[in-house]
Amino acid sequence: CSAIDACESSNGGCSSKAECRRTTPGNRDCVCRAGYTGDGIVCIEINPCLVNNGGCDRNAECTQTGPNQAVCNCLKGYSGDGKTCTYISLCSQVSCSEFAICNDTELTERTCTCKPNYIGDGFNCRGNIFQELLRNSNTSRFYFHLEALSIRDISGPGPFTLFVPRTDILDSDPRVKDWIARGVMAQVLRYHMVGCANLLYKDLAAITNITSLHGDLIHISYSQNSLVLNDKAEIILSDAVGTNGVIHVINQILVP
């Protein structure tokens, strides 16, 4: 007589994912292979992602790749190996204005908000028009002339409207040195300022005269699709709005 091998035929009736182990003659045990669970007759693939996210970070996605095998991938907005994921601040990726505060919600959103005493959308924040003169190369020379003469009229609450001769115009006009030598440069500069009014380009188009801080009138006319001051100075850049007024750049110096 010979012992009956219970595993000899059809894997002993065990699952194809199980190992048939002979015990006593005619008997056997069915043991699920690694990566599977069950009674040996029925073996089900183990999905490690179902328990504790498969050992992945809470900010990672667990993806089953095989029996009791998985990979961890950090979610969008996070970096790491999947086991440990670190939040990537959107404020470090997207630049707000230097005069803005970046608020990061950790919900793949961020907002840029201009600091107090600045206005704008958070990406472009502007202070008062005195500060803005220095930040723009087209208007910086006008700022330095104001500083040299300690003229701070337009640093007040305003509102003001400012007509600024472009920097290269101020640099190249020989009359500037003469005005400085004669002590009348302050009068010339104040002739480019209008108080108690925040006049945008569209507002200027609707009027014909305005009074400068110097006291003299500035005549406004419309010629060849442009606004012209005193029949000479054309507004070439307009509506640079600050917290206390607006700047317009012109291509000639206004002379009172």
Side-chain angles (χ1 to χ4, degrees):
C1 294
S2 58
I4 296 173
D5 183 354
C7 294
E8 185 174 10
S9 176
S10 300
N11 198 32
C14 300
S15 166
S16 61
K17 306 300 183 182
E19 178 185 357
C20 182
R21 298 177 180 175
R22 293 172 59 190
T23 53
T24 57
N27 295 302
R28 53 91 179 102
D29 282 337
C30 297
V31 180
C32 292
R33 295 176 185 171
Y36 295 85
T37 184
D39 60 5
I41 304 299
V42 176
C43 293
I44 301 173
E45 191 172 278
I46 296 172
N47 183 354
C49 296
L50 299 178
V51 179
N52 295 325
N53 200 31
C56 302
D57 188 272
R58 66 184 181 89
N59 294 306
E61 180 181 19
C62 179
T63 304
Q64 184 183 7
T65 57
N68 205 26
Q69 296 177 337
V71 293
C72 302
N73 294 296
C74 293
L75 298 174
K76 182 179 179 180
Y78 294 83
S79 66
D81 60 5
K83 298 292 185 181
T84 302
C85 297
T86 304
Y87 180 70
I88 303 171
S89 173
L90 290 175
C91 288
S92 67
Q93 296 177 302
V94 180
S95 297
C96 299
S97 165
E98 61 180 308
F99 303 112
I101 298 170
C102 185
N103 298 301
D104 199 328
T105 64
E106 289 203 28
L107 296 174
T108 66
E109 295 179 358
R110 63 95 187 85
T111 58
C112 297
T113 306
C114 292
K115 295 177 180 179
N117 300 319
Y118 288 87
I119 60 172
D121 59 7
F123 295 97
N124 182 18
C125 297
R126 298 174 300 279
N128 66 49
I129 56 177
F130 187 68
Q131 296 170 307
E132 292 306 304
L133 287 173
L134 183 59
R135 294 177 60 193
N136 189 324
S137 61
N138 285 314
T139 58
S140 58
R141 180 58 62 192
F142 194 87
Y143 170 89
F144 291 128
H145 282 299
L146 293 177
E147 277 285 88
L149 296 170
S150 298
I151 298 174
R152 295 297 182 90
D153 306 56
I154 57 172
S155 61
F160 301 99
T161 299
L162 198 58
F163 303 106
V164 181
R166 202 173 56 207
T167 288
D168 62 316
I169 303 296
L170 285 171
D171 285 343
S172 62
D173 194 318
R175 295 176 297 174
V176 172
K177 289 184 178 179
D178 179 58
W179 290 331
I180 293 173
R182 290 165 47 203
V184 297
M185 189 62 183
Q187 298 174 42
V188 173
L189 295 174
R190 286 194 171 95
Y191 187 49
H192 294 77
M193 307 174 190
V194 176
C196 302
N198 187 7
L199 299 170
L200 299 176
Y201 192 89
K202 63 180 178 62
D203 302 318
L204 295 170
I207 56 180
T208 56
N209 291 291
I210 47 176
T211 303
S212 70
L213 289 186
H214 172 63
D216 288 353
L217 289 177
I218 300 172
H219 176 66
I220 303 172
S221 58
Y222 196 74
S223 175
Q224 296 181 346
N225 298 322
S226 297
L227 285 180
V228 179
L229 309 180
N230 291 348
D231 298 321
K232 291 183 178 180
E234 179 185 343
I235 296 178
I236 53 177
L237 295 171
S238 63
D239 294 353
V241 178
T243 56
N244 65 339
V246 59
I247 299 171
H248 304 286
V249 179
I250 56 179
N251 65 354
Q252 295 287 335
I253 299 175
L254 301 177
V255 181

